[in-house]
Amino acid sequence: MALRPSEDALTALRDFVRRIHALDRTAPAVQELTLLVDGREERLALSEPVVKALVEALRVFHDPRDKGRCDYCGGPLDDNFLCRDCGAFSGVFGQLLAERAGDYTPPEELPPARG
Ligand SMILES: [Zn+2]
């Protein structure tokens, strides 16, 4: 049976805390994280190493859909380096793509193959 996304997140977080805490079992809890998922509350005791690992993991995560920010307005870019907010192409690569696309003329069609 597949887990619901909220259960996946809760399980992943609980497993992460256990995995990191196992590396330094004597470290005392310095914070408590309380999670409320679908009416079910769970408290996770976090030691200093776990807090540091959790913060670092969250800060270094990069969503592959994130193509960066617009040079002009800071909005998110699409796969073609086009800003989703202001519509400008961003960066040198974005400008090159725009210029190439503007100069593009489709090639002539080939004559039908002789059979
Ligand atoms: Zn923009």
Side-chain angles (χ1 to χ4, degrees):
M1 185 172 93
L3 295 174
R4 289 175 296 170
S6 59
E7 291 174 325
D8 285 342
L10 187 58
T11 301
L13 193 52
R14 186 187 314 117
D15 291 348
F16 181 88
V17 169
R18 284 184 184 150
R19 183 165 46 94
I20 302 301
H21 185 68
L23 300 173
D24 189 358
R25 291 183 189 279
T26 60
V30 293
Q31 294 180 12
E32 183 177 83
L33 184 63
T34 303
L35 303 164
L36 183 61
V37 178
D38 297 335
R40 209 177 83 229
E41 186 176 292
E42 181 155 338
R43 295 172 188 227
L44 299 173
L46 308 178
S47 65
E48 188 67 38
V50 172
V51 171
K52 286 176 70 174
L54 185 58
V55 169
E56 185 175 331
L58 291 172
R59 287 195 175 144
V60 300
F61 173 75
H62 179 260
D63 191 315
R65 296 170 298 169
D66 184 353
K67 304 300 181 192
R69 296 286 160 188
C70 174
D71 291 339
Y72 305 104
C73 75
L77 302 177
D78 71 7
D79 290 341
N80 298 312
F81 299 95
L82 183 67
C83 178
R84 294 176 196 264
D85 289 347
C86 75
F89 281 98
S90 188
V92 174
F93 192 66
Q95 288 300 323
L96 285 172
L97 279 177
E99 289 170 15
R100 291 284 175 142
D103 291 342
Y104 179 76
T105 52
E108 292 181 28
E109 287 191 29
L110 296 173
R114 293 184 203 153

